[in-house]
Structures are given as structure tokens and as C-alpha cells.
Amino acid sequence: MSLISTLSRCLVLSAGMLAFAAPAHAQVQERTIRFSIGPAEEHPASHGARTFADLVKKASGGKMEVKNFYNATLGSDTQAVAALRAGTLEMVVTSSSPLVSLEPQFAVFDFPFLLNNEREADALLDGPVGQMLLDKLAEKDLIGLAYWENGFRNLTNSRRPIDTADDIKGLKLRVMQNPVFIDTFQALGANAIAMSFSEVYTALETKTIDAQENPIATIDTAKLDEVQKYLTITRHTYTPYVVLVSKKFWDDLSAEEQNILRTAAMEARLEQRRFSRQAEAKLLEGLKGRGMVVAELPAAEVDKLRQAAQPVIDRFSQEVGPELVAKLNEELAAIRKQ
Ligand code: TK8
């Protein structure tokens, strides 16, 4: 083989390699992605969003910019989800609960006392049932990228300490816009009122409502201690956050851009969950320090809540489909054995 032909082969080869490498850049365009976040800037969801934005920036060589909007400034969870579907907003991190009006099967995550701890939550959400539900959202013009943590929910109110299940009776209690939550708290004897989270502080302040329920980090970062005296640790439901992209926007992205977003949301989820869990104990101390009266609901009373909620779970199990519920319970049984 002559030197010339060897050289030209090398040239062809490196040109080929260049051609192979080049599309990696060509397929990533300058993009601005608006990301709607309901809670305040200090909330773990917001920490997750910042982690996500950094990862996207790095992976795209600075071409894709995620702009975070905290405190529901781009709309409540339901408004933001509607905007994603219409293609007028790119991303939102929302509790799964308001999605039930779009995809009823998400109601399984709202079943009271479904999960006992964070390990079970991670394994279930990152497992086949979790993925199946995320995938279903494509039919609703939404792309579900990952589950992040909101956390186990607890009860707050301005009226009285909740020492027994009966103490919940008669409270005007805000719940998310979600039928399982409405029916559960009705079954517990509260007057359940559905509203967006972004309206809760004012509704508590003006005494339109007495009570609400949310994880510690949400109670803390929304400063609900200013308008709620009593915090009862009930850990009654673990509602996950879902990181969503507008399908209209998604369909315009290259495979590589899609991959950058998906990978970043999955990677950020680990840091987001870590941050959320590490924050909880400290935030609870802070709430106590600022004057909240905190008490754990005794186990026997939690059992009463469980019993009162069971008919609601049974009814919604029929509605979402007994096969899905059976599959979920099978997965949970396997997770508990690990
Ligand atoms: C924040 C909400 C919130 C949720 C609720 O946008 O609505 O109570 O728990 O975290 O998604």
C-alpha cells in the first residue's frame, strides 16, 4: 500500500469519525425551557429543579437553558399542566394527585397508608407500575420523565390539637383537587374542600378553611406555621411529584435533546430525594421552634383512620381496575420481602 493511499485512508477515516461525531452537536439546538414549580425556592422540589437545570446545561454544552419559576408564578399545578398540554409551557413538576382527572389510574398513589416508608416509595415508583403510569401520560399530551419526592403528608390546623381520629371531625380541610383525597377526608368526618395549593395560605389566613395536609417541607417553605398552630404527624399518604414535559414541545426535540432531558430528570431525582429526606428532621425542629404544637397521632388512632379510609380504597380500586391494584400489591409485597 502506497503512502498516499494510506494517508488518504486515514483522512477518510477521520472524516468519517468527524461525520459521526458532528451530529451530536447538530442535534442539540439553543432551547429555553420554562419549568413551573408550585412551591417556594427553598423547597426540595425547587432544589431538584435547579439540579436538573445544571445537568441539562452541562449535557447540552450550554445550549439548553432551563428557567425555573417558583411559587406557581406560571400558574397552579392544574393550570400549568393544562398549559403543557396546549404547548404554551414546556415543563412542570406537580404532585401526581391533580393528574387523576386526566389519568384516573394515578389514583393508586393517593390511597391512604399505601406506603410505609421512603424505600417502598422509591422501589414502587421506579418499578414497572410507576413506569407504566408515566408512559400512559403520552395519550394526554404529556411526557412523564421521573418521580421526585414530595413526601409523606401530615395534617395541620388552626383549631385544636388532633389527639384522636375523632378530632378531625368538622374541620374545614383543604385537599388537593383529587377525588381520593376528597372522599377520604369526608370519610374521616372533615369538611373536605378542594383547591390549588397556591391558594392555601390565603384561605388559611382568612379562615376560609381551618386545616390542610402536606409534607413537612411544604408546610415549612410555604410558611404555613404563620397561619396554623397544630401539626399532627399522620404520614397518611405519600404523594410523589411527577416531572412533566409538554408533548407538543417534546415532539419537536431531537432524540438527543430528549435524551438529555430524560437523563437529567432521572439523575436529579436521586439528589432531589436525598435533599428532601435530609431536610425533614431539621425543618420539623424549625417549625416547633417557631411555635407550632407538634404531636404524633397515636398508632391506635392511626388504625382508626385506616379503617375509615378502607371503603374509599375499595371503591377506587374498582374504579381504577382491580388488575392494576393487584399488580401494585404484588410489587409491594415483593419490595417488602427484599
Ligand atoms: C405544589 C403542590 C403541593 C401539593 C399540594 O405545587 O397541592 O398540596 O402537595 O406540593 O404540588
Side-chain angles (χ1 to χ4, degrees), residues 37-39 43 72 76-77 93-96 98 150 153 174-177 195-198 200 212-215 218 239 241:
I37 299 132
H43 191 279
S76 67
D77 284 344
V93 52
T94 173
S95 288
S96 62
N150 192 0
R153 304 178 77 89
R174 176 270 175 172
V175 289
M176 290 182 281
Q177 291 134 310
M195 70 172 75
S196 291
F197 181 68
S198 36
V200 170
Q212 68 85 45
E213 46 78 55
N214 249 303
T218 304
T239 50
Y241 276 132

Side-chain angles (χ1 to χ4, degrees), residues 6-297:
T6 310
L7 268 179
S8 64
R9 267 167 179 263
C10 284
L11 281 175
V12 169
L13 195 68
S14 52
M17 280 164 77
L18 273 180
F20 183 73
H25 289 289
Q27 283 180 10
V28 179
Q29 293 181 29
E30 303 270 344
R31 307 259 184 201
T32 304
I33 298 166
R34 288 162 302 159
F35 195 179
S36 171
I37 299 132
E41 208 165 332
E42 303 75 30
H43 191 279
S46 306
H47 177 75
R50 282 187 293 273
T51 308
F52 172 75
D54 286 347
L55 289 168
V56 169
K57 191 175 174 188
K58 253 182 232 142
S60 67
K63 284 190 167 177
M64 295 168 83
E65 187 193 1
V66 179
K67 280 199 176 150
N68 294 331
F69 294 85
Y70 310 106
N71 285 311
T73 47
L74 297 184
S76 67
D77 284 344
T78 38
Q79 287 167 336
V81 168
L84 259 61
R85 298 184 70 206
T88 56
L89 175 65
E90 292 76 42
M91 288 187 69
V92 65
V93 52
T94 173
S95 288
S96 62
S97 313
L99 297 175
V100 168
S101 58
L102 284 179
E103 177 40 69
Q105 291 201 321
F106 268 96
V108 291
F109 296 143
D110 300 310
F111 288 2
F113 305 108
L114 178 77
L115 298 166
N116 296 313
N117 53 51
E118 285 81 3
R119 189 186 73 84
E120 290 179 9
D122 291 353
L124 182 73
L125 294 166
D126 295 345
V129 165
Q131 189 59 48
M132 188 271 285
L133 287 170
L134 282 187
D135 293 346
K136 284 198 107 182
L137 289 171
E139 291 159 26
K140 310 291 172 190
D141 297 321
L142 297 167
I143 301 297
L145 293 186
Y147 292 102
W148 290 358
E149 176 161 286
N150 192 0
F152 281 98
R153 304 178 77 89
N154 300 298
L155 190 63
T156 68
N157 87 97
S158 57
R159 300 284 294 274
R160 53 181 175 259
I162 306 293
D163 301 320
T164 69
D166 274 351
D167 292 334
I168 295 172
K169 291 190 175 146
L171 288 177
K172 276 189 278 169
L173 187 148
R174 176 270 175 172
V175 289
M176 290 182 281
Q177 291 134 310
N178 172 282
V180 182
F181 273 86
I182 296 171
D183 289 8
T184 299
F185 282 94
Q186 289 294 135
L188 300 180
N191 177 5
I193 300 157
M195 70 172 75
S196 291
F197 181 68
S198 36
E199 291 164 32
V200 170
Y201 184 98
T202 307
L204 290 169
E205 192 179 32
T206 56
K207 301 266 195 292
T208 310
I209 50 172
D210 308 311
Q212 68 85 45
E213 46 78 55
N214 249 303
I216 302 288
T218 304
I219 296 166
D220 173 82
T221 54
K223 300 189 168 46
L224 298 188
D225 56 288
E226 294 174 354
V227 286
Q228 297 277 270
K229 180 83 179 162
Y230 305 101
L231 166 58
T232 316
I233 307 297
T234 48
R235 292 170 69 85
H236 51 272
T237 313
Y238 181 100
T239 50
Y241 276 132
V242 188
V243 179
L244 296 173
V245 185
S246 159
K247 187 167 183 299
K248 287 213 168 89
F249 172 70
W250 182 260
D251 289 344
D252 281 343
L253 298 178
S254 68
E256 190 179 355
E257 289 168 330
Q258 291 178 349
N259 187 40
I260 287 172
L261 295 186
R262 199 180 281 288
T263 307
M266 284 301 271
E267 267 184 46
R269 102 190 182 286
L270 300 175
E271 167 61 15
Q272 195 275 339
R273 288 174 182 168
R274 187 200 62 76
F275 181 89
S276 165
R277 284 158 203 181
Q278 170 222 277
E280 198 173 74
K282 203 178 78 215
L283 295 180
L284 184 59
E285 284 315 304
L287 289 172
K288 282 184 195 164
R290 294 201 297 281
M292 274 197 119
V293 177
V294 180
E296 189 118 3
L297 191 66

